[in-house]
Amino acid sequence: DTGLEKTKDNFFSKISKAIAGKSTVDDDVLDELEEILVTSDVGVSTTLKIIERIQARVAKDKYVSTSELNSLLRDEIQQLLAENNSNDFHNFEYGNHKPYVIMVVGVNGVGKTTTIGKLAHQLKMAGNKVVLGAADTFRAAAVDQILLWGERVGVRVVAQAMGSDPASVAFDTLQSAVANGEDVAIIDTAGRLHNKVGLMNELTKIKNVMQKVIPGAPHEILLVLDASTGQNAIEQCKQFTEATAVNALALTKLDGTAKGGVVIGISDQFKIPVKYIGVGEGMNDLQLFDRKGFVDSLFK
Ligand code: GDP
């Protein structure tokens, strides 16, 4: 169980239908393939890129049997992901920085808190001392949820009263992380997409405060996106990357969607590595994104 079964089934049943009764890849098959990719939320521009590449292969080899289509498509997707995810992530350990600071951003409901909880669990299992900072102080529920995850996975949480200054929570978290010799600090932030300038100012303020404690922090600005929301996820990615220097993505709820193609589209459009994928609600349902494994699980 890879958590990607729905996307896989969606891909395959549609591709099988598109090639039923046909022996070669022709324009009709390519048209249908284009539609399949677009409806799997790969996105139009990325889909066209893939189709053009397959067209070029077909033109070169003259005759491509429909039975080869899956492996052709697999190669192209693999290639596309390789171009944008140069560094694969193989473990939940972070070398040089102590503490390694992760600032987590994203709108409410995408699975931000759950991702933080799962990540804390994975990092702890990998032998790290982890602390969480509940800097989404605008929603009481957000602070409670982080506290709950902290209890569940057994990591310390720094929280202040609701409505307090998020930058002050971030400051406290990092200061105590240094004092306690913790390896990783994960800071939640408010998921309000009010307006771009507001968002930018808020995140900049938190970052500046972090740098007062640890120059170079945050080392990772992780944007969490709900893969099942397709084009909304792409729009959020656009907004957040314009507001702050996002350098890693987490795509959640891939287990609940047949549209996992969004991973391919987002990676191609934004050139930011997909670092984590969420494939369920439990604490073990977070995987480091491995492009080969991802493509394999779609085409197995
Ligand atoms: P936040 O508002 O962004 O902090 O979102 P939450 O972390 O509270 O998550 C919202 C809902 O999505 C919760 O019911 C989570 O259990 C659920 N959720 C989060 N990640 C995943 C995932 O990878 N798969 C599934 N199926 N559900 C998820």
Side-chain angles (χ1 to χ4, degrees):
D1 187 341
T2 59
L4 297 165
E5 282 76 14
K6 286 191 179 164
T7 297
K8 184 189 129 180
D9 292 347
N10 176 43
F11 253 46
F12 279 122
S13 60
K14 286 183 178 167
I15 291 175
S16 311
K17 228 184 260 171
I19 61 178
K22 299 196 171 175
S23 56
T24 63
V25 175
D26 57 15
D27 287 348
D28 286 348
V29 170
L30 287 174
D31 279 351
E32 292 208 39
L33 182 60
E34 184 176 322
E35 198 183 318
I36 294 164
L37 293 174
V38 170
T39 54
S40 301
D41 270 327
V42 170
V44 175
S45 64
T46 305
T47 295
L48 291 179
K49 210 183 269 186
I50 294 171
I51 295 292
E52 273 168 26
R53 290 177 181 191
I54 293 182
Q55 254 166 350
R57 284 272 283 268
V58 172
K60 193 169 126 260
D61 299 352
K62 301 287 185 285
Y63 176 96
V64 172
S65 74
T66 46
S67 60
E68 287 171 81
L69 187 61
N70 273 341
S71 70
L72 213 56
L73 184 59
R74 175 196 183 122
D75 288 354
E76 294 308 336
I77 292 175
Q78 179 83 46
Q79 177 61 30
L80 207 67
L81 287 173
E83 286 164 22
N84 306 305
N85 289 278
S86 48
N87 39 339
D88 274 335
F89 304 99
H90 295 295
N91 54 48
F92 283 96
E93 284 168 42
Y94 299 99
N96 301 325
H97 304 287
K98 185 171 175 162
Y100 183 83
V101 180
I102 306 173
M103 177 167 94
V104 185
V105 302
V107 306
N108 295 333
V110 294
K112 201 154 48 82
T113 317
T114 308
T115 301
I116 290 171
K118 291 173 185 174
L119 186 55
H121 172 66
Q122 301 283 358
L123 287 164
K124 192 184 167 197
M125 290 297 111
N128 298 286
K129 273 175 84 179
V130 182
V131 59
L132 305 180
D136 179 356
T137 58
F138 291 92
R139 290 184 306 155
V143 177
D144 290 346
Q145 259 189 309
I146 290 272
L147 286 166
L148 205 66
W149 269 106
E151 236 170 72
R152 194 178 298 163
V153 306
V155 305
R156 195 170 72 84
V157 180
V158 174
Q160 294 178 3
M162 194 195 130
S164 57
D165 181 3
S168 147
V169 178
F171 186 85
D172 277 2
T173 309
L174 294 200
Q175 232 181 14
S176 64
V178 172
N180 289 329
E182 277 147 345
D183 302 297
V184 186
I186 309 175
I187 315 285
D188 190 17
T189 62
R192 302 176 307 162
L193 241 192
H194 28 68
N195 62 72
K196 203 160 69 196
V197 176
L199 180 70
M200 203 181 307
N201 289 342
E202 197 166 293
L203 296 176
T204 303
K205 188 176 169 203
I206 297 177
K207 270 165 51 179
N208 288 344
V209 160
M210 286 182 177
Q211 279 160 16
K212 279 190 194 153
V213 189
I214 301 167
H219 308 101
E220 183 168 316
I221 301 182
L222 178 67
L223 172 62
V224 182
L225 299 167
D226 177 345
S228 69
T229 65
Q231 298 307 302
N232 276 344
I234 291 180
E235 182 54 33
Q236 287 163 22
C237 195
K238 190 164 172 290
Q239 304 257 358
F240 275 93
T241 49
E242 283 169 9
T244 191
V246 174
N247 60 5
L249 302 175
L251 284 166
T252 65
K253 309 190 195 181
L254 275 162
D255 53 307
T257 181
K259 298 187 157 201
V262 74
V263 174
I264 303 159
I266 283 195
S267 162
D268 179 47
Q269 279 184 51
F270 294 96
K271 317 288 179 210
I272 299 170
V274 176
K275 188 162 183 182
Y276 312 100
I277 58 174
V279 293
E281 297 184 275
M283 62 174 109
N284 290 308
D285 297 325
L286 185 76
Q287 302 172 0
L288 282 166
F289 181 67
D290 153 35
R291 61 183 144 82
K292 186 163 181 312
F294 176 76
V295 177
D296 282 351
S297 60
L298 292 188
F299 287 94
K300 213 159 9 198

